[in-house]
Amino acid sequence: MRRLEDLERAHPELQNRDSPTLSVGAPGETELDTIEHAERMLSLDNVFSLDELREWCAKTRAAAGRDVAWLTELKIDGLALNLRYENGSLTSAATRGDGRIGELVTQNALRLADVPERLAGYGHPALVEVRGEVFIPVAAFEELNALQAELRERAYAESREKWEHVRSAGKKAFDEEARRRSAERRFPAFANPRNAASGGLRQDLDKKEGLELEAGEARLGSLRLYVHGIGAWPDPPVAAQSEVYELLAGWGLPTSPHTRVLATDAELADFVHHYGENRASVEHELDGIVVKVDELALHAELAETSRAPRWAIAYKYPPEEVQTRLIDIRVGVGRTGRATPYAVMEPKLVAGSEVSRATLHNQEVVVHKGVLIGDLVVLRKAGDVIPEVLGPVAEARDGSERAFVMPTECPECGHELRPMKEGDIDLRCSNPRTCPAQVRGRVEHIGSRGALDIEALGEVAAAALTRPARNAQTGEELAPLLPTEEGLFDLELERIVPLEVVVTDPETGEDRVGDDGEPVRRAPFQRIEKVYPPGWEDATPAERRRAGVRKDHLIVHPSAQAVKLLEELERAKTKELWRLLVSLNIRHVGPVAARALAAYFGSLDAIRAAGRDELAAVEGVGPIIADALLDWFEADWHRVIVDRWVAAGVRFSIPDHPGPGAASAAGGVLAGLTVVATGALEGYTRDGAQEAIVQAGGKAASSVSKKTDFVAAGPGAGSKLAKAESLGVRVLDAEQFRILVTEGPGALPPAEA
Ligand code: IVH
């Protein structure tokens, strides 16, 4: 996140509107109702060492212009909750959501002992939002998992009992394994308190009964809350955050016992050190320390960035490290042919989830880390997310370990692995055209959001189309339907429906194996309808049972995904040129470069006809991408792809484009102007608005700065609109935007004063 922030500061034009730096959290996939918070719920910026913390304190003191009292708290590893109280009564409780809009969990929140429906005392404000963290205490978490184990046993016992009671003709033997698995799925062990808390708060108890209800109630009952802030309260009657906590405690809200007000850097370091050593003594899981400026007047003065306040910081403890056995080092091949060694380890729980794989990047990293196959290794999650092997526990060696040898042949197609150019560390498979791993990766990339955005062309569909398959009904072995991506737009329903394929893990390229040890097979393009054998359609259930007749006659239909895939492919043929350029899998040509190329040249033919200098001179392209384009056109088989796609109806041009460079050469009505489009602009899609700006010779930027000339804002425009207003940048509605991109700024009505 920090690197991304630095990069975006240096290159604001590269900041996408969906950049994680602009959002506070991810919107969850859920069916809960939502509510807009009265005041945005922000996140916290992080520091990872005491030096960085001291630096932040010094910077904050300098910005404040005086000495600052620090309020220190524990960073509770739970989930944020926003309690809205109006005149002392709880009117809603919501999760953080994306920071602006949260999910409503009022009914569940009201069942928590820590959440008062009415605040104690009197003199409550008309509206106040109380923010806090919901968590499951460590001890309660253990009890909860013990209960899950018990419920698993009871579920299993219940299913056996049912089996014994329901005696029917032709009944199959009791499948112990399957029943155990089913009980495990119903009552799994929770990986960590945080996930258990999040699911617990968002469940719908009304939809549960029996053992599930019992589990759900226990989960809700184990939730606790500590409040750590307020929102939407313009003038609280206190001067410091620590006093806010006293006030909230007086209203009957739970505050953390671990909060302190400290004065010096040395005291802060002691606090950090103390809880680093005594994490286990705290009732909840914590992943760091939060340091806040205590004085409220300074909060307003220091203000906030787009995602976090400047008056608070989170100090994150170093990630948890565990040891596990390195069983093997294997090599995966990706879309670009790069061969990546990765560690296969005995599964181990680290920072809340089970890890058994970690990338080792390339053969030199393996040597540099000094790990041998068979070693006990130290494993952690970088940034608490990405598994990383740190190195071996050399003392634990017994001599049976062996060194990894980078293969010289592609594990997928057997062709030679070699560096693309002299001096490259990475090795690549030398068979880009038909290496199944590369074709699979490219086809998946074609379907991805930044390319042709074909929802039905995901991981499984791409595998089914590019791997050797078998006919799901006859078992006949089938050669890959797409040995290369050439035939993608010629697919036919009859050919794809029968395909059944082994699913691979996208990260490792390994075949997935099911609980039964068999490879996981999928037939994504068919839907099976089970019907009774001829003559039995109209029999009563009792008759069928007596005769032991089951629904075992099968009719194969195309699945909804199959139909959708072909429809989406048809639509994709005339999508924006830049998307089609991205889908060609040309090195370095992602959405940004592709947009620049499309806007300047207007067609693939014009790009192909251009020389290196002309390509490199286009803003947003440059020499590296120019070379990549020339290299790409060199390969005959790339031209075959284009020709076949064109023959199938793919349109590699922008209709009515005036020709290479015309927009900028003729000046264009927006030449020299920078425009930001935000929110829903009527008559334009997001991409369409950007394209209109570029086509008119302007620069389509994604963030607002002093250099921005116009901001076109529609409904849903957020911080960019606010920023434009604060900088005095002229804001246009959709109709004015249309005038701007077609007739230029001179045609706009005068700005209101
Ligand atoms: S204050 C505007 N204090 O950490 C700042 N947050 O990574 C609001 N968290 O969204 C947060 N313990 O959900 C604050 N003592 C604490 C916290 C805490 C945990 C969570 C909170 C926040 C997230 C940011």
Side-chain angles (χ1 to χ4, degrees):
M1 181 65 93
R2 287 253 214 104
R3 278 209 66 204
L4 184 59
E5 280 170 359
D6 290 346
L7 284 167
E8 288 180 345
R9 223 168 287 131
H11 304 279
E13 72 283 3
L14 296 183
Q15 185 181 45
N16 284 331
R17 53 181 85 205
D18 57 356
S19 171
T21 57
L22 296 174
S23 84
V24 164
E29 274 177 46
T30 152
E31 289 163 17
L32 294 175
D33 287 338
T34 56
I35 185 172
E36 183 162 354
H37 305 307
E39 190 171 288
R40 226 156 72 89
M41 289 179 82
L42 295 172
S43 186
L44 288 170
D45 281 334
N46 301 312
V47 289
F48 297 94
S49 69
L50 275 177
D51 281 345
E52 285 183 350
L53 180 61
R54 273 185 218 111
E55 219 173 275
W56 179 84
C57 291
K59 203 176 70 185
T60 309
R61 245 188 313 253
R66 58 189 130 108
D67 240 359
V68 172
W70 307 111
L71 179 66
T72 54
E73 308 176 2
L74 301 189
K75 189 162 187 312
I76 305 156
D77 196 10
L79 74 150
L81 184 67
N82 187 29
L83 301 169
R84 185 181 170 116
Y85 284 96
E86 292 179 41
N87 299 309
S89 293
L90 183 78
T91 53
S92 69
T95 65
R96 183 172 69 170
D98 66 1
R100 216 165 50 78
I101 296 184
E103 301 153 328
L104 275 171
V105 290
T106 317
Q107 290 317 312
N108 282 347
L110 276 172
R111 299 174 73 140
L112 307 190
D114 285 342
V115 175
E117 190 170 0
R118 267 211 61 82
L119 296 178
Y122 32 82
H124 306 118
L127 169 66
V128 60
E129 292 181 312
V130 179
R131 272 92 191 255
E133 204 76 0
V134 171
F135 60 93
I136 297 182
V138 177
F141 178 70
E142 278 160 22
E143 282 168 28
L144 208 57
N145 262 344
L147 177 68
Q148 289 290 102
E150 184 197 315
L151 288 170
R152 258 194 312 273
E153 283 310 310
R154 280 166 57 191
Y156 173 77
E158 264 183 14
S159 66
R160 174 175 277 282
E161 219 168 277
K162 251 192 217 145
W163 176 85
E164 271 161 8
H165 276 88
V166 187
R167 296 243 162 242
S168 70
K171 193 172 75 164
K172 283 200 287 187
F174 184 77
D175 186 341
E176 200 168 316
E177 276 288 300
R179 293 297 164 182
R180 287 235 174 256
R181 275 205 300 275
S182 145
E184 247 157 56
R185 268 195 299 274
R186 282 173 67 191
F187 304 104
F190 299 119
N192 58 57
R194 201 191 120 76
N195 289 357
S198 168
L201 192 64
R202 298 158 74 214
Q203 63 187 326
D204 187 350
L205 281 188
D206 289 343
K207 289 208 182 115
K208 296 192 169 167
E209 53 182 23
L211 298 182
E212 265 81 7
L213 182 61
E214 196 175 321
E217 281 177 335
R219 217 161 148 196
L220 204 54
S222 68
L223 297 180
R224 296 279 317 274
L225 170 78
Y226 282 152
V227 297
H228 54 52
I230 45 172
W233 193 8
D235 48 355
V238 288
Q241 179 88 0
S242 52
E243 293 168 18
V244 168
Y245 292 162
E246 286 168 26
L247 195 70
L248 296 180
W251 289 348
L253 288 158
T255 51
S256 168
H258 307 288
T259 307
R260 302 279 176 276
V261 180
L262 304 174
T264 65
D265 286 5
E267 285 173 341
L268 281 185
D270 281 348
F271 189 87
V272 166
H273 189 70
H274 173 80
Y275 282 102
E277 294 290 300
N278 297 287
R279 273 164 98 151
S281 72
V282 178
E283 64 279 19
H284 55 75
E285 294 226 316
L286 61 136
D287 56 350
I289 299 290
V290 183
V291 178
K292 300 176 180 171
V293 172
D294 198 26
E295 189 185 329
L296 290 182
L298 284 176
H299 291 197
E301 235 171 82
L302 295 166
E304 63 215 26
T305 67
S306 54
R307 65 179 284 275
R310 289 207 187 81
W311 47 264
I313 197 85
Y315 166 92
K316 290 285 197 86
Y317 285 113
E320 176 198 359
E321 291 177 3
V322 299
Q323 298 188 353
T324 186
R325 187 68 60 188
L326 178 64
I327 304 168
D328 199 2
I329 297 179
R330 292 188 202 144
V331 174
V333 173
R335 165 170 81 102
T336 62
R338 195 169 85 182
T340 309
Y342 61 91
V344 178
M345 295 161 290
E346 269 168 23
K348 190 86 186 207
L349 202 62
V350 47
S353 73
E354 203 176 72
V355 171
S356 62
R357 300 282 187 275
T359 179
L360 292 166
H361 306 285
N362 60 50
Q363 64 283 8
E364 290 201 359
V365 171
V366 179
V367 174
H368 182 74
K369 286 186 189 284
V371 288
L372 302 178
I373 297 167
D375 262 340
L376 196 61
V377 293
V378 180
L379 173 69
R380 72 164 183 198
K381 279 204 209 142
D384 265 356
V385 183
I386 299 162
E388 180 186 0
V389 173
L390 291 179
V393 183
E395 321 69 275
R397 283 184 180 152
D398 63 9
S400 67
E401 301 77 13
R402 64 195 162 87
F404 165 72
V405 182
M406 186 71 180
T408 52
E409 284 162 9
C410 171
E412 286 249 358
C413 72
H415 281 68
E416 190 195 349
L417 293 178
R418 54 173 184 238
M420 196 153 70
K421 51 181 191 321
E422 214 178 306
D424 271 4
I425 296 171
D426 287 335
L427 300 184
R428 287 173 201 269
C429 164
S430 55
N431 172 32
R433 181 163 180 259
T434 57
C435 170
Q438 297 187 60
V439 178
R440 191 166 70 238
R442 290 200 301 267
V443 169
E444 221 180 302
H445 175 75
I446 292 170
S448 67
R449 277 221 236 147
L452 290 180
D453 194 14
I454 300 175
E455 209 190 318
L457 189 56
E459 177 203 341
V460 177
L465 295 172
T466 58
R467 299 199 97 194
R470 73 178 185 198
N471 183 313
Q473 274 68 46
T474 65
E476 179 198 355
E477 300 292 332
L478 303 170
L481 204 51
L482 295 181
T484 80
E485 60 269 53
E486 286 163 33
L488 183 64
F489 291 95
D490 299 321
L491 291 175
E492 290 163 349
L493 204 55
E494 308 82 79
R495 303 278 308 275
I496 66 172
V497 168
L499 300 177
E500 184 188 69
V501 79
V502 175
V503 179
T504 50
D505 184 316
E507 269 166 41
T508 61
E510 279 178 81
D511 291 350
R512 291 224 170 109
V513 179
D515 295 343
D516 51 5
E518 289 291 310
V520 178
R521 289 182 171 273
R522 294 262 183 80
F525 302 124
Q526 56 181 246
R527 176 175 64 82
I528 302 288
E529 187 189 3
K530 283 187 172 182
V531 295
Y532 290 104
W536 284 91
E537 299 90 343
D538 300 324
T540 65
E543 285 168 339
R544 290 195 199 119
R545 219 178 307 127
R546 243 177 280 123
V549 175
R550 283 181 299 162
K551 287 187 183 182
D552 49 8
H553 181 61
L554 310 179
I555 303 181
V556 181
H557 300 279
S559 67
Q561 188 186 0
V563 175
K564 196 165 156 209
L565 174 65
L566 294 191
E567 283 170 0
E568 288 193 280
L569 279 168
E570 191 53 41
R571 266 200 304 278
K573 291 177 184 172
T574 49
K575 279 203 173 168
E576 297 98 321
L577 175 59
W578 70 265
R579 290 189 173 277
L580 286 155
L581 294 178
V582 176
S583 76
L584 289 175
N585 282 286
I586 303 169
R587 251 190 128 204
H588 305 304
V589 179
V592 176
R595 274 178 211 270
L597 288 163
Y600 185 92
F601 290 101
S603 73
L604 184 65
D605 283 340
I607 297 172
R608 189 189 306 198
R612 182 178 189 271
D613 292 344
E614 193 183 356
L615 290 168
V618 175
E619 172 150 15
V621 180
I624 294 175
I625 297 176
D627 285 340
L629 284 160
L630 295 179
D631 281 351
W632 194 85
F633 285 118
E634 277 283 294
D636 287 341
W637 66 275
H638 288 149
R639 268 185 245 149
V640 175
I641 296 176
V642 173
D643 292 347
R644 266 194 77 181
W645 287 14
V646 169
V650 172
R651 184 189 66 196
F652 278 110
S653 60
I654 300 175
D656 302 326
H657 188 281
S664 46
V669 293
L670 288 184
L673 297 180
T674 301
V675 184
V676 173
T678 176
L681 290 166
E682 203 184 326
Y684 294 90
T685 60
R686 270 167 188 256
D687 295 331
Q690 303 252 353
E691 208 134 288
I693 298 166
V694 178
Q695 274 222 49
K699 187 171 165 208
S702 55
S703 62
V704 180
S705 71
K706 273 182 263 167
K707 291 192 196 135
T708 311
D709 296 288
F710 296 97
V711 170
S719 58
K720 289 179 204 171
L721 175 57
K723 182 119 187 244
E725 280 163 352
S726 73
L727 290 172
V729 175
R730 182 160 179 195
V731 177
L732 308 177
D733 63 16
E735 177 52 23
Q736 292 167 332
F737 175 69
R738 198 188 54 73
I739 297 173
L740 179 76
V741 295
T742 50
E743 297 169 54
L748 288 173
E752 286 159 35

